[in-house]
Amino acid sequence: MSRLDRFFEISARGSTLGTEIRGGLVTFIAMAYIIVLNPIILSGAEDVDGNRLEFAQVSATTALAAGVMTILFGVIARLPFAFAAGLGINSFLATTVVGSLSWPEAMGLVVVNGLIIVALAVTGLRRLVFDAVPMQLKIAITSGIGLFILFIGLVDAGFIGSTGIASPPVGLGAGGAGSINTVPTVVFVVTLLVTGVLVARKVRGAILIGLVAGTLVAVVVEAIWHLGSATEKPGGWSLSVPTLSGSPFAWPDLSLVGAVSLDSFGRIGILAASMLVFTLVFANFFDAMGTFTGLSREAGLADAKGTFPRLRAALVVEGAGAAVGGATSASSNTVFIESGAGIEEGARTGVANLVTGALFLAAMFIAPVASIVPTEVAAAALVVVGTMMATHLRHISFADISEFSVALPVVLTVVVMPFSYSIANGIGVGFIAWVVLRSAVGKAREISPLLWIVAAGFLVYFARGWIESLIGMG
């Protein structure tokens, strides 16, 4: 025990072994929804070759990657920050990347993204780039990703849909019918309200409890009305039908481990593939840095500058999490803000991570149970998580927003992500607007050269179709 205490600095940080175990359990309860939510997001998207990932396989690798990375981070960084597939990166892969790539190629880009982040962390460049981006844009990126996730949840639930006409382009109700006219959408609304009440009352594991409650309602509804799948008859469940047959436990299918390819650079070209990698790096980059800062302050481990113990080691392991997530087809793994639940319970060291990670590894064996959660129920969790991320806007002061050269880039970053269904577009538009407007009002000297380079890269990204056509004409 004395060796364990000295290695993890349990007593030095004012904690106990029992407190760390309890904190690790609470963190797992708060994060366990990702075992359901991540496979729903990834398995629901068809890649360019017409293939889909299997729900049970993604659920198993999601738990595997989360368990391995959470334990690894606990041992190396010795901090109570747990890891899992990041919400935002997985949505970007499912809604944007696999539209032009296969799933193995998309995950190959995630691996490349992780290796780049590791290199940036080892060399110290990661912190330099982070410091080059104005705080207002950092907050806007996090909030924009939150609204993007929220919008995806509303669409997946059938609460918002295309009207099929020029104006307005979207409307209330499944398929844009103008009303909430299906039982699954009503189940979504009920689940959202229940989860929202639990979160508002600060109940531990509120999202997981909401998912379980919504799934139980869905199972009862399906048993009574036999709605079936929406592909078979109108008004059915959009993706997975909430029924369970056979054993609730199964040996995990880990066949997706290593199913990656780097052929994306040949399929869509070096420029397009590089810009996708750039977007992945950026999304990983700022989400993780912001979460690290918030959690370290909540745990009382950060100094006045926001630096916390073993910062470089933490950044390196976080980059490795992205690579491991891609290699297992679970999507990029990153630090989770839900770790704050365990910190509030008293967790202060990596011992809590050992508990959380072990529980994630055990969760690999319950994939059949996770597969009965319908998309409409999981969509409620997306809306709740997206709302939590969007509330980061409160950290932007009114004094900053009152200056239009700041307000426009911030607002564009936040709204373009959900409206264009692309994280890349939101980041790019915000950065370009920032350098143009701030320069126009005489603030060019305040803009880091690195930010100019990033904005120029996004200009090329947006104009790549036109550039490719010119090259073709030549």
Side-chain angles (χ1 to χ4, degrees):
M1 285 299 300
S2 60
R3 291 180 182 178
L4 185 70
D5 192 338
R6 287 196 302 271
F7 182 80
F8 286 104
E9 302 173 351
I10 300 174
S11 299
R13 295 182 185 177
S15 184
T16 66
L17 181 60
T19 300
E20 294 299 311
I21 293 174
R22 188 171 65 252
L25 175 60
V26 169
T27 293
F28 174 76
I29 292 173
M31 291 177 59
Y33 68 88
I34 196 64
I35 302 171
V36 177
L37 203 53
N38 192 49
I40 283 182
I41 293 172
L42 296 182
S43 66
E46 190 175 273
D47 68 15
V48 69
D49 295 329
N51 298 319
R52 293 178 183 267
L53 298 177
E54 292 293 331
F55 184 100
Q57 293 176 340
V58 178
S59 181
T61 57
T62 297
L64 172 65
V68 170
M69 289 311 307
T70 296
I71 292 173
L72 185 65
F73 188 84
V75 172
I76 295 178
R78 305 174 201 175
L79 296 167
F81 306 164
F83 278 58
L87 289 169
I89 293 293
N90 54 7
S91 300
F92 177 58
L93 293 174
T95 60
T96 302
V97 178
V98 295
S100 55
L101 298 175
S102 68
W103 274 113
E105 291 165 348
M107 292 302 172
L109 292 184
V110 176
V111 173
V112 173
N113 148 62
L115 296 177
I116 291 175
I117 292 177
V118 169
L120 290 173
V122 170
T123 59
L125 288 174
R126 184 172 186 180
R127 186 152 191 167
L128 289 177
V129 175
F130 179 80
D131 292 339
V133 180
M135 180 59 69
Q136 297 93 332
L137 286 183
K138 295 174 185 175
I139 297 171
I141 290 169
T142 301
S143 301
I145 293 174
L147 287 181
F148 179 45
I149 292 173
L150 185 153
F151 190 64
I152 289 174
L154 294 176
V155 172
D156 287 352
F159 195 82
I160 294 292
S162 172
T163 60
I165 57 177
S167 180
V170 294
L172 183 67
S179 63
I180 305 171
N181 57 359
T182 68
V183 174
T185 303
V186 173
V187 172
F188 157 76
V189 173
V190 172
T191 305
L192 176 59
L193 292 176
V194 169
T195 307
V197 169
L198 293 172
V199 171
R201 295 183 65 85
K202 299 181 180 180
V203 175
R204 303 285 189 192
I207 295 177
L208 178 61
I209 295 172
L211 282 172
V212 172
T215 301
L216 291 176
V217 171
V219 169
V220 172
V221 167
E222 176 61 23
I224 296 174
W225 283 296
H226 305 290
L227 300 176
S229 172
T231 58
E232 300 172 353
K233 55 183 178 179
W237 306 95
S238 61
L239 184 60
S240 55
V241 179
T243 57
L244 179 63
S245 58
S247 173
F249 304 101
W251 190 260
D253 183 350
L254 302 178
S255 57
L256 287 178
V257 176
V260 297
S261 170
L262 297 179
D263 292 340
S264 55
F265 293 90
R267 184 192 287 263
I268 61 175
I270 295 177
L271 175 61
S274 297
M275 291 309 299
L276 289 175
V277 171
F278 172 81
T279 303
L280 290 170
V281 170
F282 227 81
N284 255 138
F285 194 98
F286 291 108
D287 181 62
M289 288 294 287
T291 303
F292 275 141
T293 301
L295 292 177
S296 60
R297 287 177 176 171
E298 186 177 353
L301 301 174
D303 59 22
K305 296 180 180 179
T307 302
F308 52 88
R310 300 180 183 86
L311 173 59
R312 176 168 291 190
L315 296 177
V316 171
V317 176
E318 197 277 329
V324 169
T328 57
S329 293
S331 181
S332 176
N333 269 230
T334 187
V335 62
F336 253 51
I337 194 66
E338 284 82 359
S339 303
I343 291 174
E344 290 179 4
E345 194 67 26
R348 293 294 181 271
T349 77
V351 174
N353 268 32
L354 302 184
V355 176
T356 304
L359 291 172
F360 266 120
L361 293 179
M364 289 192 297
F365 299 89
I366 62 170
V369 175
S371 65
I372 70 172
V373 181
T375 305
E376 289 79 2
V377 170
L382 281 176
V383 173
V384 171
V385 173
T387 300
M388 291 176 174
M389 294 179 68
T391 58
H392 281 269
L393 279 175
R394 70 185 185 276
H395 297 300
I396 300 180
S397 69
F398 284 107
D400 289 337
I401 292 297
S402 64
E403 190 171 353
F404 194 75
S405 63
V406 173
L408 183 60
V410 166
V411 172
L412 285 176
T413 300
V414 172
V415 302
V416 168
M417 286 187 193
F419 288 168
S420 69
Y421 233 59
S422 169
I423 295 173
N425 292 346
I427 295 176
V429 170
F431 278 23
I432 293 170
W434 181 274
V435 298
V436 171
L437 268 70
R438 297 299 285 171
S439 298
V441 296
K443 303 289 186 180
R445 292 185 178 180
E446 298 178 2
I447 303 173
S448 167
L450 285 174
L451 194 61
W452 280 101
I453 295 172
V454 171
F458 270 114
L459 276 176
V460 175
Y461 173 71
F462 289 132
R464 69 186 186 279
W466 177 70
I467 295 173
E468 290 171 356
S469 65
L470 284 180
I471 296 174
M473 290 172 62

